[in-house]
């Protein structure tokens, strides 16, 4: 039995393949089309997924008719035809029977059934599903029961996206950049203006005075300077953290577990995620908590079974041995190199198989990587560190998926991976047999340095490198060696 889970036709489409043995493949559509955040499926992705056979059934990640009603209510028009998923999939040659699950149920299932918990409170926060924008669930054994739901237009995610647009960034895409900008601003200056936007906040009951669906470009039009933008970002982040704490406190009180599963696009806010430990003993965030993760979540919502998700290497495969020796040599000689090997990561982070690595020591390395990545200087870089050296260099929560920020205790030794606020978004690499673990061990043996700067291997404006051709293109364009392993 082959089951496909699909989230598409909105933004950042993804497809997951399950066989009787479990998850066989999951990838973002963009990696195959080369179009960043591609909203739609494509032939290359589908052909790759067909390696596991024709699907017997497809589970779609949301309920299209309910979404159509919400779009109508939101004044976006009648999109009945665009939301006809049977026709949509037929256009890609997919004719298997389709089942549907609700948007937030897909988020909750993606989180709960991939978590190590058999009882948990699940919190999903995003911009918008069909109507729902915030849900809380109780997971027990194989069942998931919704205990709270907040609906459109009140939406923490829509508000955060509106502020992302206000500082000149792209909503629904650049929220992580706003989060990085926050470290350069004064969070107190605009706190009152931010708080004014709520008409009511009490636990999960978060009611805004405004509908942020169409943005909030006219928020404080007098603010125009670069520092103003940083201050808006800082106040936005501080307000988000305040809201998140309200939600988590409620969820701890009215949920029945000290285990938390946090999901939805807002769970990508690694600066805020650590707050979860104030209210819960254990926290799991699926490594792909946004809508693309719902390709897996939709299937799990139907199958209702737990699967261990101990890695995210489920995408396109570049065969061959992980190029440990070559990478260490190049890192010692040039300070920077790329690796594209094995199965690509499912999720927004490069965790070793499609990574640009750099020596985190030395003050010029951040500028050099920034020049290659052609990105804003204020953006932070993340380290991948051997797990046994985590506590001598960082303080705070961290895991294998860069989902939390920790305080960097040796900023002078590793300036390239410390953000302006003294934190790092760390990838803790345990002895798990992965290629990146072998690379870090060899790097440590050669240099005594237990970490590497790890950023995604992508050409500016494009998604992460997927195949050998993409890897070559990156190497040629930026004149950086990219090792793909012995084929
Ligand atoms: Fe969502």
């Amino acid at each position: 039995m082959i089951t496909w889970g699909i989230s598409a036709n909105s933004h950042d489409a993804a497809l997951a393949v399950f066989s009787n043995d479990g998850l066989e493949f999951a990838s973002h559509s963009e990696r195959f089309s080369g179009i960043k955040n591609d909203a739609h499926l494509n032939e290359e992705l589908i052909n790759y997924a067909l390696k596991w056979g024709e699907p017997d059934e497809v589970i779609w990640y949301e309920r299209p008719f309910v979404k159509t009603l919400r779009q109508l209510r939101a004044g976006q028009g009648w999109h009945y035809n665009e939301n006809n998923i049977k026709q949509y999939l037929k256009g890609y040659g997919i004719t298997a029977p389709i089942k549907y699950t609700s948007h937030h149920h897909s988020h909750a299932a993606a989180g709960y059934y991939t978590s190590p918990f058999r009882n948990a409170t699940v919190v999903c926060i995003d911009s918008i599903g069909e109507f729902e924008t915030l849900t809380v669930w109780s997971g027990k054994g194989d069942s998931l029961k919704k205990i709270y739901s907040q609906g459109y237009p009140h939406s923490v995610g829509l508000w955060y996206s509106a502020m992302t647009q206000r500082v000149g960034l792209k909503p629904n895409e650049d929220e992580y950049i706003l989060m990085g900008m926050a470290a350069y601003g004064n969070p107190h200056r605009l706190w009152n203006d931010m708080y004014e936007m709520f008409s009511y906040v009490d636990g999960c009951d978060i009611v805004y005075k405004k509908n942020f669906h169409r943005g909030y470009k006219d928020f404080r039009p007098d603010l125009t300077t670069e520092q103003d933008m940083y201050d808006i970002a800082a106040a936005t982040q501080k307000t988000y953290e305040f809201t998140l704490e309200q939600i988590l406190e409620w969820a701890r009180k009215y949920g029945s577990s000290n285990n938390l599963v946090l999901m939805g696009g807002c769970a990508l806010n690694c600066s805020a995620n650590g707050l979860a430990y104030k209210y819960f003993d254990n926290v799991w965030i699926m490594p792909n908590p946004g809508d693309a993760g719902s390709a897996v979540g939709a299937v799990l919502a139907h199958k209702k079974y737990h699967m261990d998700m101990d890695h995210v290497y489920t995408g396109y495969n570049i065969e061959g041995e992980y190029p440990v020796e070559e990478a260490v040599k190049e890192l010692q000689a040039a300070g920077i190199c790329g690796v594209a090997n094995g199965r690509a990561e499912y999720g927004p982070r490069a965790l070793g198989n499609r990574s640009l690595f750099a020596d985190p020591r030395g003050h010029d390395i951040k500028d050099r990587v920034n020049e290659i990545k052609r990105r804003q200087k204020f953006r932070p870089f993340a380290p991948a560190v051997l797990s046994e050296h985590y506590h001598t260099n960082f303080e705070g929560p961290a895991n294998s998926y860069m989902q939390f920020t920790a305080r960097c205790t040796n900023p002078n030794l590793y300036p390239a991976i410390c953000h302006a606020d003294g934190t790092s978004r760390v990838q803790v690499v345990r002895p798990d047999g992965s290629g990146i673990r072998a690379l870090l061990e060899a790097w440590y043996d050669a240099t005594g340095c237990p970490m590497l700067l790890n950023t995604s291997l992508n050409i500016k404006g494009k998604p992460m490198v997927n195949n050998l051709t993409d890897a070559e293109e990156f190497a040629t364009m930026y004149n950086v060696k990219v090792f793909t392993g012995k084929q």
Side-chain angles (χ1 to χ4, degrees):
M1 174 87 170
I2 297 292
T3 304
W4 283 12
I6 300 179
S7 64
N9 203 23
S10 177
H11 64 101
D12 199 11
L15 192 157
V17 177
F18 283 77
S19 74
N20 292 337
D21 296 330
L23 181 64
E24 301 281 3
F25 167 80
S27 176
H28 299 242
S29 196
E30 61 166 24
R31 312 280 161 89
F32 287 80
S33 69
I35 301 164
K36 198 162 192 261
N37 284 323
D38 196 346
H40 297 293
L41 302 172
N42 59 73
E43 209 183 314
E44 291 77 12
L45 168 72
I46 288 164
N47 285 341
Y48 200 81
L50 285 170
K51 278 172 55 168
W52 286 271
E54 288 279 345
D56 298 296
E57 60 176 357
V58 171
I59 320 280
W60 186 259
Y61 81 119
E62 59 183 10
R63 297 195 182 278
F65 186 66
V66 187
K67 181 178 169 178
T68 307
L69 294 178
R70 191 260 303 156
Q71 286 169 326
L72 189 66
R73 186 178 147 210
Q76 293 168 296
W78 181 244
H79 293 278
Y80 184 77
N81 288 335
E82 289 97 312
N83 291 332
N84 183 334
I85 300 311
K86 198 171 173 193
Q87 285 304 317
Y88 177 80
L89 293 178
K90 209 170 154 194
Y92 295 99
I94 303 166
T95 54
I98 308 163
K99 290 174 182 164
Y100 301 90
T101 181
S102 78
H103 189 105
H104 270 243
H105 191 191
S106 295
H107 277 317
Y112 179 58
Y113 294 113
T114 61
S115 78
F117 313 134
R118 296 300 176 266
N119 77 78
T121 298
V122 185
V123 173
C124 306
I125 316 169
D126 68 358
S127 290
I128 196 160
E130 293 89 356
F131 277 93
E132 288 178 320
T133 58
L134 161 64
T135 53
V136 183
W137 306 68
S138 172
K140 279 197 181 71
D142 292 342
S143 92
L144 254 181
K145 205 174 130 216
K146 196 175 357 178
I147 59 171
Y148 181 85
S149 168
Q150 186 176 45
Y152 178 82
H154 305 291
S155 165
V156 175
L158 278 179
W159 161 78
Y160 199 95
S161 292
M163 301 320 291
T164 300
Q165 187 183 39
R166 173 61 184 86
V167 299
L169 297 167
K170 201 170 168 190
N172 260 331
E173 203 171 308
D174 289 342
E175 282 73 11
Y176 67 102
I177 302 180
L178 176 129
M179 185 181 72
M181 286 171 70
Y184 292 83
N186 171 3
H188 305 292
R189 179 180 160 208
L190 297 168
W191 169 251
N192 287 340
D193 295 81
M194 292 285 164
Y195 201 80
E196 266 296 297
M197 293 185 207
F198 298 111
S199 62
Y200 184 70
V201 192
D202 182 15
C204 283
D205 232 355
I206 296 159
V207 180
Y208 294 95
K209 286 180 186 156
K210 218 178 137 55
N211 181 346
F212 295 102
H213 209 158
R214 293 181 190 279
Y216 194 3
K217 283 185 188 162
D218 54 352
F219 168 70
R220 291 287 307 265
D222 56 310
L223 303 177
T224 53
T225 68
E226 196 178 321
Q227 190 55 50
D228 288 338
M229 298 307 118
Y230 290 135
D231 289 348
I232 293 176
T236 300
Q237 182 63 23
K238 182 180 158 66
T239 310
Y240 171 68
E241 290 172 9
F242 163 76
T243 317
L244 179 66
E245 286 209 53
Q246 291 279 321
I247 296 167
L248 294 175
E249 197 176 357
W250 187 95
R252 182 68 186 93
K253 196 167 164 192
Y254 296 103
S256 52
S257 178
N258 58 357
N259 301 320
L260 173 73
V261 173
L262 187 59
M263 289 297 291
C266 292
L268 288 163
N269 196 312
C270 56
S271 299
N273 286 343
L275 290 167
Y277 284 103
K278 269 176 82 171
Y279 303 93
F280 291 87
D281 296 335
N282 307 296
V283 180
W284 167 257
I285 303 169
M286 189 232 198
N288 200 357
D291 286 0
S294 291
V296 163
V299 176
L300 294 178
H302 269 262
K303 306 270 183 202
K304 297 185 173 58
Y305 71 73
H306 292 267
M307 57 170 266
D308 286 334
M309 193 168 215
D310 46 12
H311 67 81
V312 290
Y313 308 120
T314 59
Y316 181 91
N317 192 17
I318 295 181
E319 285 180 23
E321 220 174 282
Y322 200 90
V324 172
E325 230 172 86
E326 302 92 310
V328 169
K329 259 190 206 158
E330 183 65 11
L331 283 164
Q332 283 187 287
I336 298 174
C337 80
V339 169
N341 177 271
R343 295 193 70 174
E345 293 87 347
Y346 173 49
R349 311 262 173 261
L351 297 169
N353 285 4
R354 299 293 186 276
S355 287
L356 183 68
F357 291 114
D359 185 342
R361 302 166 297 177
H363 286 268
D364 68 323
I365 203 82
K366 191 172 173 183
D367 289 343
R368 285 177 60 203
V369 182
N370 259 326
E371 209 179 304
I372 293 167
K373 299 274 292 188
R374 312 270 203 276
R375 66 184 211 170
Q376 302 97 323
K377 288 207 166 172
F378 58 78
R379 301 234 333 249
F381 284 112
V385 62
L386 287 167
S387 52
E388 58 273 33
H389 292 273
Y390 175 74
H391 291 292
T392 46
N393 293 290
F394 302 98
E395 268 176 15
N399 69 3
S400 307
Y401 306 110
M402 296 186 182
Q403 293 171 316
F404 299 95
T405 50
R407 200 173 72 79
C408 183
T409 52
N410 290 315
N412 294 331
L413 281 180
Y414 308 110
I417 51 87
C418 268
H419 194 29
D421 59 3
T423 65
S424 298
R425 194 185 61 201
V426 189
Q427 177 190 2
V428 180
V429 184
R430 299 191 167 85
D432 56 1
S434 63
I436 188 172
R437 174 73 199 190
L439 173 63
L440 281 168
E441 283 177 4
W443 170 248
Y444 180 65
D445 285 347
T447 65
C449 174
M451 66 182 90
L452 282 166
L453 181 157
N454 177 13
T455 182
S456 58
L457 193 64
N458 69 295
I459 290 171
K460 186 171 169 58
K462 285 199 165 196
M464 260 188 259
V465 160
N466 203 39
N467 57 27
L468 287 170
T469 313
D470 300 338
E472 269 167 41
E473 200 187 339
F474 181 94
T476 311
M477 181 168 257
Y478 295 135
N479 197 23
V480 171
K481 285 198 178 143
V482 178
F483 301 104
T484 55
K486 291 177 195 81
Q487 309 302 310

